[in-house]
Amino acid sequence: KAGVTQTPRYLIKTRGQQVTLSCSPISGHRSVSWYQQTPGQGLQFLFEYFSETQRNKGNFPGRFSGRQFSNSRSEMNVSTLELGDSALYLCASSLNVATNEKLFFGSGTQLSVL
Amino acid sequence: GNSVTQMEGPVTLSEEAFLTINCTYTATGYPSLFWYVQYPGEGLQLLLKATKADDKGSNKGFEATYRKETTSFHLEKGSVQVSDSAVYFCALKKETSYDKVIFGPGTSLSVIP
C-alpha cells in the first residue's frame, strides 16, 4: 500500500508569489490534515478536510487555503507569499472513523521564500 | 483550550543511557494520547499510543503510561541507541473522531556513541 505522497518535495519562491502544494493520501483514507512545521513554532495545524469538506481550521490568515477532491487528494494554496511562510508543510491522512486512530504523514514539502 | 506541553530540548544522551521525555496535557474528558517520532528528513510516524487511563503504550523499547491523575504521558526508554536520534512529539486527540490532533512542540534527542 502506497504511503502519503506530497509533491513537490522542495520549492523556492519569492515574496508575493503564490504556491500550490499537493497531497495524495493513503488509498481509502478520507481525512487529510495539513500542518506547518518551523523550528520556532513547531507543528501548527492549518486545516483538515474530510469528504471534500473543511472540518477544522487553525489560526492562519486567509492567504492559506485548501481543498479536497472527490478522490480524497488535497491541495493547499498560499497566496502573496511572505518570508515567514518558509517552512516544512506536512500532510497527514487517516480513515478518521475512530478517536484513537493514528495519522499517516508524508515526507513534506520544504518551501523556501526568498 | 486543549494543549500539550513537553520538556524543552535538545536532549543529548550517551548510548545505552536511560531516556525520559516529559509530556503533560490539558484537556477535558478522556482524550487519546500519542507519541510520534520524526527522523531527519522525514515526516512523523506513530511511535505508540494509549486510549484510556492507566493504559501503557509500548513499541521498539519505548513506553509511556496514560496518567489521568497527573495529566501526563511521559516517554521512557531504558537504553537508547544512536538510531533513536530524532524529534519526539507528544499529541492528543479528543473523544470525537472529527477533532483535530494537537501536538506538543517536540523534543529533539541526540544520542552519541
Side-chain angles (χ1 to χ4, degrees), chain A residues 8 11-22 62-67 75-83 85 89 109 111-114:
Chain A
L11 262 180
I12 299 176
K13 293 286 186 179
T14 57
R15 278 181 299 174
Q17 287 187 310
Q18 73 152 19
V19 67
T20 299
L21 313 181
S22 178
R63 299 185 297 107
F64 292 82
S65 64
R67 60 178 174 169
E75 289 182 347
M76 68 162 280
N77 184 76
V78 188
S79 62
T80 320
L81 284 166
E82 300 177 358
L83 295 178
D85 297 333
Y89 289 88
T109 294
L111 172 65
S112 297
V113 182
L114 307 178

Side-chain angles (χ1 to χ4, degrees), chain B residues 92-106:
Chain B
L92 72 81
K93 189 173 193 293
K94 292 291 297 292
E95 295 101 323
T96 53
S97 62
Y98 53 81
D99 273 311
K100 64 187 181 187
V101 177
I102 297 169
F103 287 88

Side-chain angles (χ1 to χ4, degrees), chain B residues 2-3 8 12 14 29 31 35-37 41 47-48 54 58 72-73 90-91 97 101 104 106 110:
Chain B
N2 305 317
S3 64
E8 294 288 329
T12 302
S14 297
W35 276 101
Y36 282 82
V37 59
L47 181 59
L48 53 84
D54 300 323
S58 61
S72 65
F73 193 53
C90 186
S97 62
V101 177
S110 294

Side-chain angles (χ1 to χ4, degrees), chain A residues 18-113:
Chain A
Q18 73 152 19
V19 67
T20 299
L21 313 181
S22 178
C23 172
S24 293
I26 290 173
S27 177
H29 286 192
R30 295 162 64 191
S31 170
V32 174
S33 301
W34 288 89
Y35 291 84
Q36 181 195 65
Q37 185 177 20
T38 59
Q41 300 295 318
L43 271 171
Q44 301 287 310
F45 174 77
L46 280 155
F47 26 66
E48 185 228 348
Y49 288 87
F50 182 82
S51 293
E52 302 180 66
T53 300
Q54 187 180 85
R55 197 160 61 172
N56 282 298
K57 189 177 189 307
N59 296 322
F60 278 81
R63 299 185 297 107
F64 292 82
S65 64
R67 60 178 174 169
Q68 186 179 34
F69 302 95
S70 58
N71 62 357
S72 292
R73 190 177 72 84
S74 177
E75 289 182 347
M76 68 162 280
N77 184 76
V78 188
S79 62
T80 320
L81 284 166
E82 300 177 358
L83 295 178
D85 297 333
S86 295
L88 179 67
Y89 289 88
L90 291 166
C91 161
S93 76
S94 72
L95 284 166
N96 209 251
V97 294
T99 58
N100 60 357
E101 279 180 36
K102 67 180 183 180
L103 295 176
F104 292 81
F105 281 83
S107 298
T109 294
Q110 184 68 55
L111 172 65
S112 297
V113 182

